[in-house]
Amino acid sequence: RNRINWPFIRKHTQENVKRFDVRTTSIDAPVSSLSGGNQQKLILARELHGEPVIITAMHATRGLDVGAVEYVHKRIIEARDKGTAILYISTELEELINISDRIAVMCRGEIMGVVDPRDVSIEEIGMMMAGHKHEQTAAAEGNYEHKK
């Protein structure tokens, strides 16, 4: 029969609080008493523990201050650089452009395009968000007529 290993949990929590610079009065403090940024750091600590193959993050920086946003981005990019696949879902276009290798835009359940953020404008992404297929995607599907 499995039992909860409380000493291990306390040690692991203390390590994560230190490693992720979580500001708390005690590891026994309820998570709900922490700031949004510190709550997000704890979630990151939990999700990045070990060597995850993939991480899905949705609106991971919503409501956080600038410092916490930078911290979250840094940790996610570190995980990516170690080989973790990151599926980052956000409506913040500048954030996506700054941290993504590729951006896939969906509208009404259909992929409008997959683009390199270094080669696309915010306006092009906005058009895809509004339901217009990206030229490369439409051409690949045979639905694009070249403009003369």
Side-chain angles (χ1 to χ4, degrees):
R1 184 171 125 179
N2 292 332
R3 294 181 188 229
I4 297 174
N5 185 341
W6 289 110
F8 172 81
I9 291 172
R10 289 189 68 77
K11 182 177 185 258
H12 181 69
T13 302
Q14 287 170 333
E15 289 169 359
N16 280 334
V17 164
K18 182 177 180 182
R19 190 167 61 110
F20 282 78
D21 192 30
V22 176
R23 308 291 166 93
T24 181
T25 55
S26 161
I27 65 166
D28 296 316
V31 172
S32 61
S33 71
L34 302 177
S35 70
N38 284 303
Q39 289 178 9
Q40 201 68 327
K41 288 177 183 180
L42 281 176
I43 292 169
L44 274 172
R46 181 188 67 202
E47 298 304 317
L48 295 176
H49 178 73
E51 296 180 8
V53 174
I54 185 169
I55 293 175
T56 302
M58 184 168 181
H59 304 295
T61 59
R62 182 180 283 168
L64 301 182
D65 63 48
V66 174
V69 168
E70 289 176 4
Y71 185 87
V72 168
H73 287 169
K74 178 181 173 195
R75 290 299 187 148
I76 288 173
I77 289 168
E78 285 173 1
R80 178 205 65 196
D81 291 346
K82 290 179 182 176
T84 301
I86 309 292
L87 176 59
Y88 195 89
I89 303 163
S90 178
T91 56
E92 299 295 328
L93 295 182
E94 289 186 28
E95 176 180 47
L96 289 170
I97 287 169
N98 289 329
I99 68 167
S100 299
D101 296 322
R102 286 174 289 167
I103 298 174
V105 179
M106 293 183 72
C107 182
R108 293 183 286 280
E110 185 179 350
I111 293 178
M112 296 291 116
V114 179
V115 295
D116 183 324
R118 297 168 294 188
D119 298 334
V120 70
S121 68
I122 289 178
E123 290 78 17
E124 287 176 280
I125 294 173
M127 292 298 291
M128 288 185 284
M129 291 173 70
H132 300 277
K133 287 212 181 237
H134 190 265
E135 291 178 2
Q136 292 170 341
T137 302
E141 294 176 351
N143 298 328
Y144 177 71
E145 295 178 22
H146 183 68
K147 296 176 187 173
K148 296 179 182 177

